[in-house]
């Protein structure tokens, strides 16, 4: 379909539905915006999904870069 993978190191076959479902949850996890039960589910998912773990790492690097640049 021409969709790019999540980021470097993420399998190219990461399904679109999987991507849509988990990206928002990963962003909420990274921003510490999830209820504890949901955060635990996301953490459990990250332990078993290399694609989503790579997405988390990519988003964390972007967030860190933005903080260093003074963006909020």
């Amino acid at each position: 379909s021409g969709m790019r993978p999540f980021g470097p190191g993420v399998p190219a076959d990461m399904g679109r539905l999987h991507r849509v479902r988990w990206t928002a949850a990963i962003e909420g996890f990274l921003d510490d915006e999830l209820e504890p039960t949901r955060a635990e589910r996301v953490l459990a998912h990250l332990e078993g999904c290399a694609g989503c773990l790579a997405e988390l790492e990519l988003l964390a690097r972007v967030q860190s870069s933005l903080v260093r640049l003074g963006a909020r």
Side-chain angles (χ1 to χ4, degrees), residues 16-34:
R16 181 179 295 183
L17 182 58
H18 184 92
R19 180 180 182 145
V20 168
R21 175 178 180 197
W22 286 103
T23 297
I26 291 167
E27 290 170 352
F29 181 82
L30 183 62
D31 293 337
D32 198 27
E33 297 175 341
L34 301 180

Side-chain angles (χ1 to χ4, degrees), residues 12-64:
D13 63 350
M14 180 70 67
R16 181 179 295 183
L17 182 58
H18 184 92
R19 180 180 182 145
V20 168
R21 175 178 180 197
W22 286 103
T23 297
I26 291 167
E27 290 170 352
F29 181 82
L30 183 62
D31 293 337
D32 198 27
E33 297 175 341
L34 301 180
E35 296 292 325
T37 303
R38 180 69 174 139
E40 289 174 15
R41 284 195 307 255
V42 172
L43 186 57
H45 178 76
L46 291 168
E47 291 174 355
C49 182
C52 286
L53 183 58
E55 177 72 356
L56 174 69
E57 292 167 352
L58 176 66
L59 290 171
R61 285 193 309 269
V62 168
Q63 188 177 62
S64 177

